[in-house]
Amino acid sequence: MSFKKDFMWGAATASYQVEGAAKEDGRGLSVWDVFCEKQGKIKDKSNGDIACDQYHRYEEDIELMAKMGLKAYRFSLSWSRILPEGTGKVNEKGIEYYSNLIDCLLAHGIEPFVTLYHWDLPYTLHKRGGWLNEESPEWFAEYAKIAAEYFSDRVKYFFTFNEPQCFVGLGYLSDIHAPGINGPDRDAFTAAHHVLKAHGKAVQVLREYGKQPLKIGFAPAGKYTYPKTAAPKDVEAAKKMMFDNIALEDWVWSVAWWSDPIFLGKYPEAVCEKYKDILPAFTQEDMDLIHQPIDFVGQNIYDGRMVACGDDGEPYFVPDYIGAPYTTINSPVTPEILYWMPKFLYERYGKPVIITESGMANVDIVSADGQVHDGSRIAYLESYLQNLCKAADEVPIDGYFLWSLLDNFEWAHGYQGRFGLIYVDFRTQKRIPKDSAKWYQTVIATNGGCLHR
Ligand code: NOJ
């Protein structure tokens, strides 16, 4: 069992979760700045104003990444730092920040992976209707063009959107995330369609204005399943549950609703039939735009549910065993998902897979020796990566981005769900690489060899 020679071992973050400097150097407001001010939305009443202060500390962070031997760093651009009004005038200071960040990464031999949109829509665009506005794909294309013009001489890898499931599902269908709209499915379908069109336009623009041949993808989420056994009937049941049943019952959280149009050029028919009275009109031109060729299947994968085939031939969810482990933000610990999902994704979409996020929220405590001994995170990561390694023998897998480089602002959970390889003391901004960072360093140095024992 092994990973390919040039496997991309990385870690990931997102602008609003780590940058801070929210009111500096001309950055415009994003929907998250405004959302965090609303009463009761963020568990510890915090926000991303300072976060990990990466805006001022990126050099220190990159030193730590280099020590760990990271091959790649996935981060997102803050749209409102680059275009404070969302469109129009470019903020040179914003460009300068990302340019310096990219240069510093490259100087340390770390490949930058840029996500254009990790949920922080410029607030001015939200006031114009946000993703519900039919002009939104054009706004996004304008922003993507700027990213291509300024950064694609040095950045080869771009992702358009991070987890559209989440920002549409939690932001437009329920008010758990920004912009905090508790709207009907009809509107969420419209927002989702605009997002997919925006993705297509951004791919076109990146290809047209890219200063070198670019590798482009997106980084969706989803509700995932894995089979109880490797028997063909359980495997088929897990696939049916994931691509058909979940899409029908919970379209916004499905893989199929978002990835089928991008990779296969069509929305899942059964879902279209179910919602035919409320769907926006999809023209063939829209579908062609969405179906731009991209280079890999990115997927953020944290957990899944076990499925088996019932006596009636239908898939069912296998209940948890008593005492099954859950992380501190309540995700089940299901390492098998990193074996099965890459296989399912490759089989359906036919592109090399990149795990764009995976990781564990934990209660991390600084010990008396000043270190953070996060043994349970190591156990978690080890079991997940062993599964990924097994999958890598069967399907092409190009990289893995651990979430997250640093403890950071975990959206509605505030700072309570610590995901980092590096502990951050938010009172002082002191960084302490956890035991898991040292362990990950060995994983990278041995290209996963140390996982076999
Ligand atoms: C997915 C999101 O992309 C990221 O922003 C979030 O912090 C992690 N999952 C952990 O919940």
Side-chain angles (χ1 to χ4, degrees):
M1 287 204 295
S2 60
F3 290 100
K4 55 193 277 201
K5 268 209 193 77
D6 54 353
F7 191 78
M8 286 284 175
W9 293 102
T13 63
S15 46
Y16 192 69
Q17 296 182 272
V18 300
E19 278 178 10
K23 302 194 173 77
E24 280 179 57
D25 288 345
R27 175 184 176 277
L29 284 179
S30 83
V31 287
W32 270 93
D33 296 293
V34 177
F35 185 72
C36 289
E37 284 171 9
K38 292 192 187 165
Q39 279 276 312
K41 290 295 176 195
I42 312 297
K43 213 168 167 180
D44 57 6
K45 302 190 174 63
S46 62
N47 56 43
D49 278 2
I50 300 174
C52 308
D53 197 29
Q54 190 167 76
Y55 190 74
H56 297 114
R57 295 168 195 265
Y58 69 90
E59 285 164 311
E60 178 187 353
D61 289 344
I62 293 172
E63 289 289 324
L64 294 170
M65 293 182 215
K67 259 194 202 137
M68 234 187 281
L70 284 194
K71 308 259 185 252
Y73 179 47
R74 175 178 171 236
F75 61 96
S76 75
L77 307 178
S78 152
W79 185 345
S80 64
R81 199 182 283 292
I82 291 177
L83 287 158
E85 300 294 317
T87 56
K89 197 168 170 335
V90 173
N91 176 25
E92 292 301 331
K93 282 279 185 195
I95 299 289
E96 190 182 311
Y97 168 65
Y98 292 114
S99 227
N100 290 341
L101 177 75
I102 291 163
D103 285 344
C104 188
L105 286 166
L106 292 171
H108 287 79
I110 300 169
E111 187 78 44
F113 275 61
V114 166
T115 307
L116 295 179
Y117 188 85
H118 201 123
W119 308 352
D120 41 358
L121 184 74
Y123 188 59
T124 41
L125 296 182
H126 170 65
K127 286 197 288 189
R128 291 165 65 187
W131 294 111
L132 292 165
N133 187 325
E134 64 182 7
E135 287 171 31
S136 53
E138 290 299 337
W139 303 334
F140 193 64
E142 180 180 334
Y143 164 53
K145 181 168 175 234
I146 290 162
E149 283 174 347
Y150 285 98
F151 307 128
S152 69
D153 54 336
R154 288 154 293 159
V155 176
K156 210 181 324 163
Y157 294 88
F158 283 89
F159 297 93
T160 56
F161 286 93
N162 181 74
E163 298 198 352
Q165 285 87 347
C166 212
F167 72 85
V168 173
L170 299 180
Y172 285 85
L173 259 184
S174 62
D175 52 2
I176 296 170
H177 278 187
I181 297 172
N182 208 337
D185 276 301
R186 179 190 294 273
D187 288 353
F189 273 123
T190 300
H193 191 57
H194 291 155
V195 168
L196 284 170
K197 285 175 67 178
H199 160 86
K201 276 192 186 288
V203 177
Q204 287 181 332
V205 161
L206 287 167
R207 299 243 188 259
E208 187 179 345
Y209 295 95
K211 300 200 166 145
Q212 58 178 320
L214 302 179
K215 298 263 188 207
I216 305 173
F218 86 126
K223 288 196 173 165
Y224 310 135
T225 60
Y226 63 97
K228 183 175 178 195
T229 72
K233 65 180 177 97
D234 283 344
V235 176
E236 285 313 307
K239 280 194 263 187
K240 180 163 192 265
M241 185 68 102
M242 184 164 68
F243 292 115
D244 301 341
N245 299 19
I246 291 175
L248 265 175
E249 280 152 32
D250 206 358
W251 69 272
V252 80
W253 285 101
S254 71
V255 172
W257 186 259
W258 300 88
S259 294
D260 280 13
I262 287 183
F263 292 103
L264 309 178
K266 54 180 196 285
Y267 284 110
E269 267 165 36
V271 189
C272 291
E273 179 55 30
K274 175 171 173 184
Y275 290 103
K276 59 178 183 299
D277 297 337
I278 59 167
L279 287 181
F282 305 136
T283 65
Q284 191 50 47
E285 205 186 326
D286 290 351
M287 299 318 292
D288 293 344
L289 172 65
I290 295 168
H291 184 36
Q292 297 300 308
I294 56 174
D295 300 288
F296 43 81
V297 185
Q299 198 83 39
N300 295 352
I301 304 177
Y302 289 81
D303 56 70
R305 289 181 67 190
M306 190 193 276
V307 166
C309 179
D311 294 339
D312 58 356
E314 287 302 313
Y316 71 94
F317 287 116
V318 179
D320 266 354
Y321 61 92
I322 291 175
Y326 277 73
T327 72
T328 54
I329 63 161
N330 227 13
S331 307
V333 178
T334 57
E336 301 88 336
I337 202 67
L338 274 198
Y339 171 67
W340 290 102
M341 273 302 292
K343 282 163 59 83
F344 290 173
L345 290 169
Y346 182 69
E347 185 184 292
R348 190 171 177 97
Y349 301 128
K351 299 274 178 191
V353 175
I354 296 186
I355 308 301
T356 36
E357 283 180 29
S358 191
M360 181 199 183
N362 197 24
V363 180
D364 293 321
I365 301 171
V366 182
S367 292
D369 63 0
Q371 302 298 307
V372 179
H373 303 298
D374 56 339
S376 50
R377 181 174 286 103
I378 295 175
Y380 177 105
L381 296 173
E382 186 173 61
S383 60
Y384 273 68
L385 284 174
Q386 282 168 342
N387 276 278
L388 187 67
C389 190
K390 203 170 124 196
D393 276 346
E394 299 177 35
V395 296
I397 304 178
D398 287 354
Y400 163 87
F401 289 81
L402 203 153
W403 187 271
S404 176
L405 178 74
L406 302 158
D407 294 338
N408 60 49
F409 176 72
E410 178 54 23
W411 310 112
H413 293 275
Y415 291 87
Q416 288 173 6
R418 288 183 180 269
F419 273 94
L421 289 164
I422 298 171
Y423 182 90
V424 178
D425 182 334
F426 292 102
R427 296 166 299 185
T428 60
Q429 291 296 339
K430 183 175 172 201
R431 271 77 166 138
I432 306 173
K434 303 177 192 174
D435 285 0
S436 56
K438 295 159 205 155
W439 173 85
Y440 195 42
Q441 183 178 352
T442 310
V443 172
I444 298 172
T446 59
N447 199 27
C450 69
L451 296 166
H452 315 300
R453 52 183 178 105

